Amino acid sequence: MTPDRAQLERDLAAVPFQEGAARGRWRLITIAWPFATFGITAKDGREFVVRLECSGYPAQPPTGGLWDLAGNAILPAVKWPRGDAVFLGTFRQDWQMGAALYFPLDRLSRQGHPDWANTHPHLTWKPEKGIVQYLAEVHRFLNSRGYHGVA
């Protein structure tokens, strides 16, 4: 087992992840290294699946986006969550063809945005917080006033 996978599995067994799972915020669906797939619950009870590529974890943050388990592909646009402008700024179907969420915690999205560390310090990747930091932020968006469900 690679060191990055071993650390992810330790973090998944730790209290912060387990507490979020017990509260119904998220769940681990599967690990097919280097990918980890999670279900994250929205405020209307819908579960959105996020597939994260985790190589280099936790030194590097994961990258990924909404996933269709049945189709084994990026979630089709008609199934994406809808929301206000702030919400849609993160859940951008036009960004990387839906392969990454557009926010500072995503490894791919933070490339080319050196200003994000200063403009969004609360969203700077902190390896000691690990995967829970990423999942908690996606959960926050899906449970915000800006989330409007699915069309």
Side-chain angles (χ1 to χ4, degrees):
M1 182 178 298
T2 61
D4 45 3
R5 180 175 180 167
Q7 184 60 54
L8 177 65
E9 291 196 12
R10 282 191 295 274
D11 287 353
L12 295 174
V15 170
F17 180 83
Q18 292 299 318
E19 180 182 1
R23 292 177 183 254
R25 294 178 180 160
W26 51 71
R27 68 183 179 102
L28 173 66
I29 296 172
T30 188
I31 297 176
W33 193 256
F35 296 98
T37 306
F38 301 90
I40 303 178
T41 306
K43 69 180 179 181
D44 59 5
R46 290 186 178 143
E47 181 180 71
F48 289 92
V49 175
V50 176
R51 181 176 181 245
L52 299 176
E53 197 277 341
C54 298
S55 60
Y57 178 87
Q60 292 296 316
T63 184
L66 298 175
W67 194 252
D68 178 5
L69 286 175
N72 198 32
I74 294 169
L75 190 67
V78 298
K79 295 183 179 180
W80 275 57
R82 303 290 185 246
D84 65 14
V86 173
F87 182 89
L88 293 176
T90 295
F91 291 87
R92 290 180 50 183
Q93 298 168 17
D94 65 332
W95 176 250
Q96 299 294 324
M97 298 175 50
L101 297 179
Y102 189 75
F103 72 135
L105 290 172
D106 188 275
R107 179 181 354 134
L108 180 61
S109 295
R110 73 182 192 159
Q111 293 174 8
H113 295 91
D115 60 316
W116 277 0
N118 294 324
T119 58
H120 305 288
H122 63 292
L123 294 176
T124 301
W125 178 250
K126 296 172 181 63
E128 65 278 7
K129 288 188 176 182
I131 197 73
V132 168
Q133 184 182 14
Y134 196 108
L135 298 176
E137 189 62 20
V138 174
H139 181 265
R140 186 186 70 77
F141 270 105
L142 292 171
N143 286 273
S144 70
R145 283 183 283 159
Y147 168 75
H148 299 162
V150 176

